[in-house]
Every structure is written in structure tokens, then in C-alpha cells.
């Protein structure tokens, strides 16, 4: 499992290439993480959003999302 320095490095490396990009779609690789309805809802919320920030919180990479200039939430990614 990655430790804090690896998570910080990953967030810093992703920040430049991701800022301002639009998310076209979402593929959930770990089926136990979401059920059918929840996965469809998350896919709908995330698709089309722009990435406005990439930070780290504890051992999570936090990706901030916005649509039409308004925040629509975050993706919290654990590197497992």
C-alpha cells in the first residue's frame, strides 16, 4: 500500500496534465465499490465535468470537479 510521500508525488505529477481537462466517461474497475444504480448516478455526475484541482488529503488523491464554473464534487482516489 502506498505511503504518504508516494501519494503526494502522484498528486503533484497528475496536477499539471489534468487541470482544465474534461472527463468524457467513467469506468469502475472494482465492482464491489458501487452497485448498479449508484454506478450509473456517479457516471452521470462525473461525465462532462472539468477538473479544477488535484490535491492530496491523507492517503487520498482528491480531484475537484466543476461544471459550468460551479463545483459538482470531488473524486477521492485511493491508490491501493
Amino acid at each position: 500500500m502506498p505511503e504518504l510521500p508516494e501519494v503526494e508525488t502522484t498528486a503533484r505529477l497528475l496536477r499539471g496534465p489534468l487541470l482544465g481537462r474534461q472527463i468524457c466517461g467513467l469506468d469502475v474497475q472494482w465492482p464491489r465499490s458501487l452497485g448498479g444504480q449508484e454506478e450509473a448516478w456517479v457516471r452521470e455526475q462525473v461525465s462532462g465535468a472539468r477538473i479544477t484541482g488535484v490535491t492530496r488529503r491523507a492517503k487520498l488523491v482528491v480531484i475537484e470537479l466543476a461544471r459550468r464554473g460551479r463545483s459538482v464534487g470531488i473524486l477521492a482516489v485511493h491508490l491501493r
Side-chain angles (χ1 to χ4, degrees):
M1 191 173 295
E3 295 299 325
L4 200 59
E6 288 86 6
V7 179
E8 178 65 30
T9 299
T10 301
R12 287 180 184 181
L13 290 172
L14 289 173
R15 191 172 297 130
L18 292 183
L19 281 179
R21 306 283 302 262
Q22 185 174 12
I23 298 175
C24 297
L26 176 72
D27 184 27
V28 177
Q29 294 291 320
W30 193 33
R32 288 182 19 196
S33 60
L34 296 171
Q37 287 183 331
E38 292 90 358
E39 186 176 337
W41 182 83
V42 169
R43 185 174 280 117
E44 180 182 310
Q45 296 299 309
V46 171
S47 294
R50 290 216 176 266
I51 297 173
T52 58
V54 179
T55 59
R56 176 195 57 81
R57 177 71 178 188
K59 289 189 178 181
L60 298 173
V61 175
V62 178
I63 302 172
E64 300 165 26
L65 305 174
R67 187 176 279 120
R68 293 186 285 278
R70 301 182 84 174
S71 176
V72 293
I74 65 166
L75 287 176
V77 181
H78 192 282
L79 301 180
R80 289 214 170 260

